[in-house]
Structures are given as C-alpha cells and as structure tokens.
Amino acid sequence: MNPIAAYFRSSIGRKQLMGLSGIYLYIFLLIHLVGNIGLLMGPEHFNQYGYLLTHTLREIIIPIEFSLLAAFLLHLGLGFKLAAENRAARPERYAVKASKARSGAYRGWMMLTGSWLLLFVIVHMPHFRFGAYRVAPIANYDGLEMNDLYAEALRSFANPWFTGFYLLSFALLFTHLAHGVQSSLQSLGVNHPRYNTGFRRFSWAYAVVICGGFAALAVWAHFQGKI
Amino acid sequence: MNFKLRLWRQKDRTSPGSFQEVEAHGISPDMSFLEMLDEVNNDMIRAGSEPVAFESDCREGICGTCSLVVEGLPHGPDKGTTVCQLFMRRFLDGQTISVEPWRAKAFPILKDLVADRAAFDDIIAAGGFISAKTGSAPDANGLPVPKKDADTAMDAAACIGCGACVAACPNASAMLFVAAKVSHLGHLPQGQPERERRVVRMVSKMDEAGFGNCSNRYECEAACPKEISVEHIARMNRDYGVSSLFGSERVRAEGGAG
C-alpha cells in the first residue's frame, strides 16, 4: 500500500486526524463565543454582527462554514469508526472492572457526549443558522434591513426547556473538551514532562472558558427575555 | 490466611469460560499471589480435579510472563509490580478475590488464565531490532550517547512485554508496548538506521493484530509494572506521523525480520 494511504488508514494516522479536526472545532468554538458576547452589547450591535457574517463577509464565511462541516463530519465519522473498533478489540468484557489511573470517568464518555453534541448541532443549526431568517422579525438600522437575531435569541431562551437543553449540552461539551483538548495534543505528539501539567490545566481552563461562557450567556438571555 | 477465589476456567480457545469458586486455606501472608495459586493447585491435584493453568517464569518481576487480572486490575492492586511480586498480606483474611486472564481479541485465551501473547512477538519481528555487525563487541565508549538519551532509552527498555497495558486499556490497545520499543531504540544511535521503517512497520503490525486504538485514558501507564510513561506514546505518535508523511524513505508497511 502507498505509505501516505497507509497513514490515513492506520490507528495513529486516524487519531491524529481526530485531533486536528478537534482542534479546528474547538478554536471555532472560541470564536463563536467571542461573537456571542456581542449579545451583551444590545440588539443593534449583535444584529450588525450577524449581518456582517451572513451578508457582508458572505464570500469568506461560507467556505469556512463548509470546512467546519467537513471537520465535523470527519471528526464524528472517525469517532464512530474508532469506537466500534475499540469495542471489537475486547469481545469478552472483564467480569470485574477497576481502574488504577483514576484519571476521571468522564474521559470514557467521549462517544456518549459526542453523540449528544451531534444531536445538539442538529437542533441548533437549523434554528439559529438557517431558520432564523424565516422566524426572526426584521430590524432596521439606518435604512439597512436585517434579521433581528437578538430578539429571536431572547425569545427562544425565555423558554426554560430550551435553556435547559442548551445548559445540559454545554455541561456535556465541558467533559468532551476537558479530555479532548489534552487528548488532541497527545495524539499529535505534543507531550513534554516540563509542560504536561500545563497542558492538562490548559485543557480544563479551555473547557471552563468555553462552556462557562456559553452557559452564562444562555442564563443571561433566559432572564433577559423574561423581564 | 483464608481466601475465597473466583478463578476463570476455560477449556480452550473456543469454549466459553466461567468462574469457578475455590477456597484457599492456610495461606501464609508472605506468599506471593502465584505461590498461593500453587497451593490451591496442589489441593486440586490431591482432590483429583484439574489444576488451574496460569503462566509464570522468573517470579521475581523481571520476565513479564505472569499475567493475571486480580480484582479487575492487571497484576493486582499494587503500583509498579508484577503479580508474582504481589503478596497475600496485601489482602484481607477471608476476602473474595476474582482472577481473570488478559482479555483482548489479539490475545486469545488458550486455557484458564493463559492468554496467547504471540501478537507481541509479531510486532517485535516487524521492527523491534537493529542491524549490527557480527564480530567482536565494539568498545563501550566508542559510540557516545548523551546521558539523558541513555536514561530515556533505559526507561523505555524496562518494558518486559507482559501485556498489562493491553489488559488495562479500555480499548485493548497495545500503544504503550509498541511505543516503549520504538522509543527505546529510537533514542540510541544504534537504532537510527531503521528508525523510520521500525515505527511504520511495528504500528502496521499492531493494527493488523486487532488491538484497539489509543484514547489517551492512560490506564496503561498506571497498570504498567515497569511504570513506563505515556510520554513514549506521544513520541511514537510524532515519529509515526513524520516517518509516514515526510520520511526520507518510502516505507512499505510489510517486511521485518526473518
């Protein structure tokens, strides 16, 4: 087999693709969070930002969105494939299972939390990425008409079930990132005794910032919409 | 001391296995786990039943032959020991102790507590060697090796190939074993000529054998009787990526010794 093709079929090659696509996705989450903080600056700022992404920068944003979709599909496709192989690698389970590593059970939930996040994306994307154009009312700033995504966000988050679903998803995303950020580095060979504690802390801190940030905004929007 | 043992009994590779409850009486706290099993087997032989099959050789923690999962932990509850160096004083009098074999698709069970670890031999044959000139041994100081590299290589070389990493891994992955071998030879000047070929072929053989994939849970490192660090796995990941994609030679996955 061609050595390059063999790399993409090997366990390590696929784990490295898993890590790279994961890195791309979690960097995107940070940018997404920064954009969402615009909610706090009021409807005009937030709607202008939405207009910037969907209209003004359309030619740049759409290819980026396709690359994100590709990374997402690759990440989840490989995830399912690797998990199936991992199950097959131990056909008969242990009767007694214990752990010496005590590294946290959440590290074993990647498949579970990942599947939930797929569900989340299936709910989230049609709503805020595609549906918002249809459901959101129109706002008018200086004669420029744009979708009032701010109003749509506040209206949606006023529903406690909706907010609850988002908060649960962020909690699961937290465990996914707390393991995933560090794991992506290890798979790519980024490991050094001097920095390993730092990588572990960075992984947790990143998960706290991302999930804490999104959750805080969801809670804020929930109470904002009610008042 | 007395114990209730739940021993995994399995007739052969294809038969389904099950636990057999056995009482162990009059065990000295200073006996090793394997000596305790010897006593149990003696009782079984005297009673006319078939003794339980398990593997051991040196019984001093350096050969990597013993391979028992005690209470769900490969080599038992102690850190950095093989099961032959696990002593019965570690357990409570009257305790029930489950004993299972290594479980992995790549390690089929031959009988009772004996798993076939030939897959490791195949991985070694694929690249775990160096080319050396025959003749008299070279002068020990003829080839300078930095102290740091010698230490890291020695840490990796401590691997005794017991397979506890595979047994402990939630995915039955052999990454720590293969990484230890790749890292050991990769750190020394003698290992450089085959460095690219070695990592590609050993990983390819590992995948072929049906081991799982690494999910960085680090159970292997915690279970390893020689406490080999997952740092070696990261090094193998780097070496594998670089050798496969940017290597100076186009390495085919096939090939090896013999």
Side-chain angles (χ1 to χ4, degrees):
Chain A
M1 199 194 301
N2 178 311
I4 311 266
Y7 171 81
F8 288 107
R9 281 160 181 250
S10 70
S11 56
I12 295 180
R14 288 179 300 161
K15 282 296 298 180
Q16 294 186 337
L17 287 179
M18 200 68 187
L20 283 173
S21 54
I23 289 172
Y24 189 41
L25 292 169
Y26 64 70
I27 289 174
F28 159 72
L29 284 178
L30 186 64
I31 297 167
H32 189 332
L33 174 66
V34 171
N36 282 16
I37 291 172
L39 269 173
L40 301 175
M41 297 177 196
E44 183 166 353
H45 178 96
F46 190 70
N47 289 334
Q48 297 271 19
Y49 174 66
Y51 187 84
L52 177 77
L53 294 185
T54 53
H55 292 81
T56 318
L57 296 179
R58 200 184 147 81
E59 285 76 14
I60 305 168
I61 293 294
I62 293 204
I64 292 176
E65 284 179 329
F66 272 107
S67 71
L68 281 167
L69 177 70
F72 186 75
L73 292 178
L74 181 70
H75 194 76
L76 78 96
L78 284 175
F80 283 119
K81 182 85 175 66
L82 293 168
E85 287 176 9
N86 292 346
R87 285 195 71 79
R90 177 163 294 135
E92 188 156 13
R93 324 302 285 178
Y94 287 106
V96 183
K97 191 72 198 104
S99 162
K100 246 186 232 181
R102 302 193 189 289
S103 55
Y106 68 93
R107 293 186 194 276
W109 302 344
M110 297 305 272
M111 189 65 219
L112 217 66
T113 53
S115 304
W116 181 274
L117 293 172
L118 171 63
L119 176 76
F120 173 81
V121 169
I122 291 173
V123 172
H124 177 72
M125 289 291 288
H127 182 196
F128 281 114
R129 176 64 186 86
F130 308 118
Y133 300 108
R134 275 177 275 122
V135 293
I138 302 295
N140 191 318
Y141 305 110
D142 304 326
L144 201 59
E145 282 196 345
M146 51 189 74
N147 299 100
D148 196 350
L149 293 168
Y150 181 88
E152 174 57 20
L154 260 52
R155 189 191 66 76
S156 303
F157 280 103
N159 181 345
W161 291 103
F162 186 87
T163 308
F165 173 73
Y166 269 65
L167 289 179
L168 174 63
S169 302
F170 296 148
L172 296 179
L173 175 66
F174 176 84
T175 69
H176 201 83
L177 287 181
H179 176 66
V181 173
Q182 187 213 337
S183 185
S184 64
L185 297 177
Q186 167 81 2
S187 292
L188 291 166
V190 183
N191 176 311
H192 191 287
R194 206 177 297 158
Y195 305 112
N196 281 342
T197 314
F199 290 147
R200 254 196 313 282
R201 287 190 188 141
F202 171 73
S203 189
W204 272 81
Y206 202 90
V208 166
V209 167
I210 295 286
C211 301
F214 280 124
L217 286 169
V219 170
W220 175 84
H222 176 65
F223 289 107
Q224 199 70 15
K226 280 203 162 156
I227 296 160
Chain B
M1 298 177 90
N2 300 314
F3 302 99
K4 284 193 195 68
L5 301 175
R6 294 175 71 227
L7 303 174
W8 185 261
R9 303 304 300 262
Q10 184 166 335
K11 191 163 161 282
D12 53 37
R13 207 179 266 253
T14 46
S15 313
S18 63
F19 281 105
Q20 181 191 10
E21 304 234 348
V22 184
E23 305 260 335
H25 296 291
I27 301 297
S28 157
D30 296 329
M31 278 183 184
S32 75
F33 202 84
L34 301 186
E35 285 164 342
M36 181 275 294
L37 285 181
D38 290 339
E39 288 295 305
V40 169
N41 272 346
N42 282 340
D43 288 347
M44 285 194 197
I45 292 165
R46 269 183 233 116
S49 57
E50 194 181 318
V52 62
F54 65 92
E55 281 190 279
S56 75
D57 192 4
C58 74
R59 299 208 174 192
E60 55 184 11
I62 55 169
C63 79
T65 308
C66 58
S67 48
L68 301 174
V69 176
V70 179
E71 284 294 284
L73 297 169
H75 291 305
D78 285 343
K79 253 190 101 63
T81 55
T82 52
V83 73
C84 62
Q85 292 293 299
L86 173 68
F87 294 94
M88 295 318 291
R89 55 179 173 266
R90 186 71 173 67
F91 298 91
L92 299 170
D93 196 19
Q95 190 178 340
T96 303
I97 307 170
S98 297
V99 189
E100 293 176 78
W102 281 185
R103 292 193 191 280
K105 188 176 137 207
F107 287 166
I109 294 168
L110 295 175
K111 187 177 168 59
D112 296 343
L113 299 167
V114 180
D116 180 2
R117 289 170 283 180
F120 271 11
D121 300 335
D122 295 340
I123 294 172
I124 290 292
F129 52 83
I130 57 163
S131 49
K133 277 191 274 187
T134 53
S136 57
D139 180 68
N141 295 322
L143 205 53
V145 181
K147 169 85 169 107
K148 179 82 183 62
D149 288 353
D151 286 350
T152 313
M154 188 59 222
D155 287 347
C159 170
I160 50 179
C162 65
C165 44
V166 175
C169 177
N171 313 326
S173 167
M175 288 284 277
L176 191 62
F177 166 75
V178 181
K181 302 305 171 193
V182 165
S183 191
H184 158 210
L185 297 174
H187 265 97
L188 298 172
Q190 293 90 337
Q192 297 312 310
E194 294 92 358
R195 184 169 176 179
E196 292 177 355
R197 250 175 288 175
R198 177 181 306 116
V199 63
V200 171
R201 286 182 178 159
M202 288 181 88
V203 168
S204 158
K205 192 53 94 176
M206 169 182 84
D207 291 349
E208 202 181 288
F211 292 104
N213 306 293
C214 181
S215 54
N216 302 326
R217 299 271 295 277
Y218 306 158
E219 291 287 347
C220 51
E221 181 185 69
C224 178
K226 299 296 154 189
E227 302 186 299
I228 290 172
S229 164
V230 294
E231 186 192 324
H232 297 292
I233 295 183
R235 186 171 295 108
M236 174 168 72
N237 287 339
R238 284 201 296 274
D239 256 19
Y240 184 78
V242 171
S243 301
S244 299
L245 300 176
F246 315 108
S248 56
E249 54 176 337
R250 284 169 61 90
V251 183
R252 302 250 160 223
E254 310 82 47

